[in-house]
Amino acid sequence: MENGLDELIRLASTDLPAHATRKLRNGLTKFAEKVDTARESTDTVKLPKASFDPGDPKTVGRMVALALLAQPRLPLASVPDAYGSGVYAIYYNGDHPFYEAISHTETPIYVGKADPETPEANTPREQGSKLTSRLKEHAKTIRAADAHAHENHLPDGLFPIRLKDFECRRLVCATNAQLVAERHLISTFWPLWNSETKVCWGMSKHGDSHKTRKNKRSPWHVIHPGKAWAADTTDEKQEDALSPSEIQRRIGELLERTPPRRSHEQLLEEMLVAFRQDDTVALETETEELKPPVNFRGPGPEDDGTD
């Protein structure tokens, strides 16, 4: 075996064609993996599955997400003012038929982050009241849909949402920690209103009419009209990104793949599993790209999936 390895090393030092070099490199990689496996199988002292690294971005994301779930729920309609940037989750407790499955559960309908006023902010005061402002912005959007439904007759197939049916959790965290935490929260819950889920995006869209920007009416505003530009159904040039029936179908299909979490204790236990070093615990490997459990189309540039 040593003679064969010596020959491979000798070949690697020669001027081989590109395809031969790639083949040799792949062969050496597989050989090294087999050597590592053989060495571990003969070692009576076992290696842990992973070493806990507080500086690893994925670890930071998990810790911040776990800390968020430890926070109490607050009514979205009356979030107290506070300094700080960070992450948050919004929960639904109403009777809208599209969201019946997640109502009164631990699965948020939306998660997000609020970046600090400056990238160099070190304290909540320096970060500004960005987290509070972000939540109040969402409350304003939902309040507009609430008022529109109260003052107008919604078309068949649409149902009202009420601001009083929403709660939130928020967590002020160190600058930049919100970036990895948001990714982890999205990949854990795949919330219905996050654009990455590709189901009912667009709540945070600061939209306008086709006269200034030719985007389609986002799914959120299709089923929750309230903003003047989105509620204008006479504007024939502004198309719906998805029909209400398609949105409802996507919601149902997604929730079949990712059932709502109903127990706070079980959810915390699920989050803690990621920190275990027991070889008997199998975890899915996180990838750089967020891939939703159902491969829906959208949002594209013409749909404006801004969140």
Side-chain angles (χ1 to χ4, degrees):
M1 185 173 69
E2 289 183 5
N3 291 337
L5 183 58
D6 289 340
E7 178 62 17
L8 288 174
I9 293 174
R10 186 191 68 77
L11 287 172
S13 63
T14 61
D15 189 15
L16 294 173
H19 72 278
T21 301
R22 286 195 299 271
K23 186 175 181 180
L24 178 60
R25 184 169 57 247
N26 292 336
L28 287 170
T29 299
K30 292 180 180 179
F31 182 81
E33 291 173 352
K34 290 181 178 179
V35 170
D36 285 340
T37 300
R39 181 176 58 188
E40 290 181 16
S41 66
T42 58
D43 194 343
T44 57
V45 181
K46 298 300 181 183
L47 286 170
K49 180 185 61 178
S51 176
F52 181 77
D53 180 4
D56 187 318
K58 292 178 182 178
T59 302
V60 173
R62 289 167 178 160
M63 290 191 296
V64 175
L66 186 60
L68 173 65
L69 296 177
Q71 307 310 308
R73 289 197 190 192
L74 304 170
L76 185 60
S78 55
V79 177
D81 290 331
Y83 285 112
S85 58
V87 290
Y88 60 90
I90 296 176
Y91 301 86
Y92 181 67
N93 298 322
D95 57 5
H96 193 291
F98 286 21
Y99 310 134
E100 181 180 4
I102 64 168
S103 182
H104 296 283
T105 72
E106 288 296 325
T107 290
I109 198 168
Y110 186 80
V111 298
K113 65 177 176 63
D115 297 323
E117 288 185 353
T118 64
E120 299 80 19
N122 292 317
T123 67
R125 188 180 295 275
E126 291 176 357
Q127 290 174 339
S129 56
K130 305 296 285 187
L131 193 54
T132 301
S133 297
R134 187 74 166 142
L135 287 167
K136 288 188 174 183
E137 179 183 339
H138 292 321
K140 181 179 179 181
T141 300
I142 295 172
R143 185 180 290 111
D146 185 348
H148 179 83
H150 181 73
E151 298 167 1
N152 300 273
H153 176 71
L154 293 177
D156 291 342
L158 298 188
F159 306 90
I161 54 173
R162 299 179 295 270
L163 181 57
K164 68 178 183 179
D165 291 331
F166 290 86
E167 293 179 323
C168 65
R169 284 189 174 107
R170 62 177 176 178
L171 179 75
V172 175
C173 59
T175 296
N176 293 329
Q178 79 279 0
L179 302 174
V180 288
E182 182 192 39
R183 284 179 55 86
H184 186 69
L185 287 165
I186 291 172
S187 63
T188 297
F189 295 107
W190 293 109
L192 299 179
W193 286 358
N194 279 82
S195 60
E196 294 84 356
T197 308
K198 302 180 181 180
V199 169
C200 188
W201 66 86
M203 175 179 64
S204 299
K205 175 183 175 182
H206 299 283
D208 38 39
S209 74
H210 69 279
K211 296 177 183 178
T212 54
R213 205 167 64 184
K214 297 181 180 179
N215 294 321
K216 293 181 180 180
R217 186 182 290 105
S218 61
W220 196 93
H221 291 285
V222 169
I223 60 174
H224 303 306
K227 296 291 183 71
W229 59 269
D232 183 9
T233 56
T234 64
D235 185 355
E236 296 180 355
K237 294 185 179 181
Q238 189 176 31
E239 302 176 23
D240 292 346
L242 298 174
S243 67
S245 60
E246 172 62 12
I247 297 168
Q248 186 175 22
R249 186 193 69 80
R250 290 190 179 195
I251 289 173
E253 189 171 344
L254 177 75
L255 293 178
E256 282 185 6
R257 298 283 189 91
T258 56
R261 276 71 162 198
R262 302 192 177 279
S263 167
H264 189 245
E265 291 74 17
Q266 290 179 359
L267 176 58
L268 292 177
E269 176 64 20
E270 177 186 336
M271 301 287 279
L272 289 172
V273 165
F275 296 101
R276 291 181 184 164
Q277 296 178 336
D278 185 348
D279 289 337
T280 62
V281 178
L283 292 176
E284 293 185 3
T285 302
E286 292 186 17
T287 59
E288 294 299 322
E289 182 182 358
L290 285 173
K291 295 182 179 180
V294 183
N295 188 27
F296 297 127
R297 186 202 68 80
E302 76 281 7
D303 299 319
D304 187 10
T306 303
D307 275 339

